């Protein structure tokens, strides 16, 4: 059984004791004196040498919820080194691992710790407590006095990536957690079930949640996580789930549930329809009962097209209901058109779903809290937990990841944010040959909004794990990009991305063409159709005004 889980303090930790958490680097690289203008950020090892001078840099994003009692750096060495490494503080915490070279590398201070000899094929720990005083980025440099070159694992090596282990003081905990809130379960594939539940409370804090399937423990997640994905299940089988909360003092809640769910039958070559930026506000002048006027409010036409393609699933790419994602607006506008496909729809929120009444004076039913409550109320469990909006599922042999690009609403989009930690764990548990991710704000776009860097860390994570396709909306046009690396450079092993903001609201004209852009269509409404085969995929951009595809192609997963 494969499950998604996050590191959490062990339930057996006593009150007032110390818990530990382990962080992977947010960035790492090495620089070489004789290659002063060469960047080494993508390498799967970090090298060290005294001649030519070769040193390594590490950065960790520290965000603990409890006081730090100590910090230890752990490194893995494939081969032995009698000299080991020295650890130095680096004041610059904003360096980019894909641009640092020897000539522009950040300055570093005097060593604060040394490792001693490194074993061959083993881990070594170094006390770096003096460099970690609280939340925030921590930047380190590693050097060696020996002229015998050696290497250690980098974050790109995954299983041998450096680790920063933090010891955090646990306050006294006297009360057990309350029962988790309402538990729901949705079968998101023939072998996969998504669970979400309401938060438990505790006098000190909830350390984590244990998930039970048919009475047996199948996984645990951290206390900040209110969702769990159970995988490797049987098609057409009924399972019963329950969830218990626990705290760091061995306190445990009663079990929420059981909730039963039945997985569907397996299917071959599923057809996906994807699009965003869809439904006009029902009070808009061009709404016209969903039929639109001229080139505005054409959501009924695009939903008719989607229905005619008979998709297995719909990926809704955000800004689904203008102007503010109010629940009443969803019922009056989105529901009569795209709501006909709601049972097979997997949505992500756009920026308009998070607008408040103050931010959108013309919107219908806007939330005063700007919390996308109308969106989450309309889609329910299919949208993920209301405090998160991210989740994953399987379609055929593909793994599909839904992410929330409204970073300011969910604790950021760094690799150590709640969503970033979840994504790393989800990718680590994913053994599918082909992976697709989707969110609202495009990483690359030739539309008027242009490129956005808010999801660049997640793009790099997905690219590093070999994902194939990324979908987004936001710019109201269709665009297809070549396979690109995280720096927007052509890469046959990179990810192909599509911008599909053609759901009906209005159209945007393309602006300056971005590197890697292969096709741009800015005068049609339509949907992207993806056929997800075993080991490959095909695409067609289908327009509401033409019977044949305006863009089409196919390729194998790499």
């Amino acid at each position: 059984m494969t499950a998604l889980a996050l590191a959490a303090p062990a339930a057996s930790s006593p009150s007032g004791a110390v818990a530990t958490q382990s962080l992977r680097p947010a960035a790492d690289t090495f620089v070489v004196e004789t290659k002063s203008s060469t960047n080494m950020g993508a390498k799967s090892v970090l090298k060290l040498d005294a001649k030519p001078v070769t040193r390594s840099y590490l950065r960790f994003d520290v965000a603990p919820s409890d006081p730090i009692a100590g910090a230890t750096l752990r490194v893995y060495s494939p081969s032995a080194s009698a000299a080991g490494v020295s650890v130095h503080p680096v004041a610059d915490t904003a360096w980019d691992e894909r641009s640092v070279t020897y000539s522009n590398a950040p300055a570093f201070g005097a060593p604060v710790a040394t490792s001693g000899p490194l074993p061959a094929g083993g881990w070594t720990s170094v006390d770096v407590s003096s460099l970690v005083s609280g939340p925030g980025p921590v930047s380190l440099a590693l050097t060696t006095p020996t002229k015998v070159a050696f290497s250690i694992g980098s974050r790109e090596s995954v299983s041998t990536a450096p680790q920063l282990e933090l010891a955090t003081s646990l306050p006294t905990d006297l009360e057990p957690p309350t029962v988790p809130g309402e538990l729901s379960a949705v079968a998101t594939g023939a072998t996969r079930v998504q669970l979400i539940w309401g938060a438990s409370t505790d006098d000190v804090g909830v350390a984590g949640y244990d998930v039970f399937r048919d009475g047996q423990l199948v996984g645990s997640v951290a206390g900040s996580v209110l969702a769990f994905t159970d995988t490797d299940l049987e098609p057409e089988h009924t399972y019963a789930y329950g969830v218990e909360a626990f705290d760091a003092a061995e306190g445990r809640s009663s079990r929420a549930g059981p909730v039963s769910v039945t997985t569907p039958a397996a299917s071959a070559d599923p057809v996906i329809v994807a699009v965003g930026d869809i439904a006009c506000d029902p009070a808009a002048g061009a709404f016209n009962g969903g039929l639109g006027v001229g080139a505005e409010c054409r959501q009924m036409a695009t939903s008719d097209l989607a229905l005619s393609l008979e998709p297995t699933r719909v990926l809704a790419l955000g800004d689904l209901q203008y102007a503010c994602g109010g629940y009443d607006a969803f019922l009056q506008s989105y529901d009569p058109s795209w709501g006909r496909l709601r049972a097979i729809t997997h949505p992500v929120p756009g920026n308009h779903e998070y607008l408040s009444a103050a931010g959108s004076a013309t919107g219908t039913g806007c939330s005063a809290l700007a919390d996308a409550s109308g969106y989450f109320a309309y889609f329910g469990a299919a949208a993920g937990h209301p405090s998160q909006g991210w989740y994953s599922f399987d379609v055929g042999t593909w793994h599909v990841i839904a992410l929330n690009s409204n970073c300011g609403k969910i604790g950021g989009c760094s690799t150590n944010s709640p969503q970033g930690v979840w994504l790393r764990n989800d990718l680590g548990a994913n053994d599918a040959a082909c992976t697709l991710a989707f969110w609202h704000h495009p990483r690359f776009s030739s539309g008027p909004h242009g490129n956005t860097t808010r999801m660049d860390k997640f793009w790099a994570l997905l690219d590093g794990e070999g994902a194939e396709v990324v979908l987004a909306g936001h710019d109201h046009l269709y665009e297809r990009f070549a396979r690109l690396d995280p720096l927007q450079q052509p890469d046959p092993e990179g990810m192909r991305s599509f911008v599909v903001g053609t759901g009906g609201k209005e159209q945007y004209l393309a602006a300056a063409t971005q590197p890697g852009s292969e096709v741009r269509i800015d005068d049609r409404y339509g949907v992207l159709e993806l056929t997800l085969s075993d080991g490959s995929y095909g695409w067609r951009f289908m327009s509401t005004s033409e019977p044949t595809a305006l863009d089409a192609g196919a390729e194998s997963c790499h």
Side-chain angles (χ1 to χ4, degrees):
M1 196 285 300
T2 304
L4 308 185
L6 301 180
S12 60
S13 299
S15 299
V18 173
T20 60
Q21 65 180 62
S22 181
L23 304 180
R24 289 179 59 190
D28 62 15
T29 189
F30 67 92
V31 298
V32 183
E33 182 181 22
T34 54
K35 299 180 180 179
S36 61
S37 61
T38 302
N39 172 258
M40 306 292 185
K43 302 295 185 181
S44 60
V45 295
L46 300 173
K47 295 184 178 181
L48 295 113
D49 198 350
K51 187 174 183 179
V53 173
T54 304
R55 59 179 177 267
S56 296
Y57 288 88
L58 303 169
R59 186 175 72 247
F60 298 89
D61 291 337
V62 178
S65 58
D66 299 304
I68 295 175
T72 302
L73 176 67
R74 299 183 71 237
V75 296
Y76 179 88
S77 50
S79 56
S81 170
V85 299
S86 297
V87 184
H88 307 252
V90 176
D92 182 358
T93 59
W95 50 270
D96 184 345
E97 69 171 22
R98 296 301 178 97
S99 61
V100 169
T101 65
Y102 186 89
S103 61
N104 65 12
F108 57 93
V112 298
T114 57
S115 68
L118 302 182
W123 291 88
T124 300
S125 298
V126 185
D127 186 350
V128 292
S129 300
S130 63
L131 299 181
V132 186
S133 58
V138 174
S139 194
L140 312 172
L142 305 182
T143 64
T144 185
T146 181
K147 297 179 183 179
V148 179
F150 64 95
S151 64
I152 59 176
S154 80
R155 75 187 190 104
E156 283 76 12
S157 63
V158 185
S159 62
T160 58
Q163 301 169 10
L164 184 65
E165 289 192 346
L166 301 178
T168 54
S169 301
L170 298 175
T172 302
D173 193 337
L174 302 176
E175 300 292 332
T178 61
V179 180
E182 182 179 0
L183 173 65
S184 64
V186 177
T188 56
T191 62
R192 195 178 188 89
V193 167
Q194 174 79 28
L195 304 173
I196 64 171
W197 57 87
S200 173
T201 59
D202 185 70
D203 58 329
V204 171
V206 176
Y209 297 91
D210 284 337
V211 179
F212 298 83
R213 185 214 310 137
D214 297 336
Q216 301 298 313
L217 180 67
V218 293
S220 301
V221 297
S224 60
V225 179
L226 302 175
F228 180 86
T229 302
D230 193 13
T231 61
D232 291 346
L233 304 176
E234 295 294 327
E236 299 182 276
H237 191 90
T238 299
Y239 298 95
Y241 289 92
V243 174
E244 295 178 8
F246 59 86
D247 60 25
E250 301 184 7
R252 183 169 290 274
S253 75
S254 298
R255 187 173 299 178
V259 172
S260 295
V261 60
T262 301
T263 53
S267 60
D269 290 351
V271 174
I272 301 297
V273 161
V275 73
D277 307 276
I278 293 175
C280 280
D281 193 286
F287 176 59
N288 189 24
L291 298 176
V293 175
E296 295 183 63
C297 304
R298 308 298 296 182
Q299 65 261 26
M300 190 63 74
T302 57
S303 64
D304 286 343
L305 171 62
L307 282 165
S308 73
L309 297 173
E310 299 183 350
T312 306
R313 305 291 179 91
V314 170
L315 307 185
L317 307 179
D319 280 4
L320 310 180
Q321 179 59 67
Y322 289 81
C324 61
Y327 183 68
D328 289 343
F330 266 106
L331 294 180
Q332 297 174 47
S333 181
Y334 184 94
D335 194 64
S337 55
W338 280 86
R340 295 177 290 173
L341 294 150
R342 180 164 61 162
I344 59 170
T345 295
H346 299 278
V348 290
N351 50 292
H352 276 271
E353 273 78 31
Y354 280 98
L355 288 181
S356 64
S360 178
T362 61
T364 297
C366 302
S367 167
L369 300 177
D371 57 0
S373 57
Y375 162 86
F376 286 106
Y378 179 77
F379 285 106
H385 195 275
S387 67
Q388 299 169 349
W390 60 80
Y391 55 94
S392 65
F393 55 99
D394 290 335
V395 179
T397 60
W398 282 64
H399 185 55
V400 182
I401 301 173
L403 297 175
N404 189 342
S405 60
N406 295 278
C407 304
K409 300 292 186 178
I410 52 169
C413 290
S414 71
T415 54
N416 285 316
S417 67
Q419 185 174 206
V421 172
W422 174 87
L423 177 59
R424 291 204 310 269
N425 280 272
D426 184 82
L427 290 169
N430 171 31
D431 57 3
C434 306
T435 298
L436 179 152
F438 67 107
W439 58 76
H440 181 62
H441 300 84
R443 177 66 185 92
F444 308 122
S445 172
S446 300
H449 288 303
N451 292 356
T452 177
T453 59
R454 66 177 65 201
M455 300 295 278
D456 58 349
K457 302 296 189 300
F458 293 171
W459 179 286
L461 280 175
L462 290 159
D463 181 69
E465 294 295 331
E468 302 295 331
V469 178
V470 172
L471 309 178
H474 197 47
D475 271 330
H476 299 187
L477 46 73
Y478 171 80
E479 185 167 20
R480 169 168 58 85
F481 282 86
R483 288 187 176 275
L484 300 174
D485 70 9
L487 297 180
Q488 204 174 351
Q489 299 300 307
D491 182 357
E493 299 297 310
M495 297 190 298
R496 182 180 295 281
S497 63
F498 297 82
V499 180
V500 197
T502 52
K505 172 60 169 65
E506 60 189 348
Q507 295 170 340
Y508 291 173
L509 294 177
T513 301
Q514 285 289 327
S517 176
E518 294 183 328
V519 174
R520 295 162 303 285
I521 300 172
D522 60 6
D523 60 352
R524 297 288 193 277
Y525 288 116
V527 301
L528 176 65
E529 179 193 70
L530 292 169
T531 301
L532 304 183
S533 303
D534 187 5
S536 65
Y537 65 99
W539 69 85
R540 298 195 303 166
F541 179 68
M542 303 300 295
S543 165
T544 57
S545 56
E546 282 88 8
T548 57
L550 300 184
D551 179 41
E555 63 185 2
S556 299
C557 299
H558 64 281

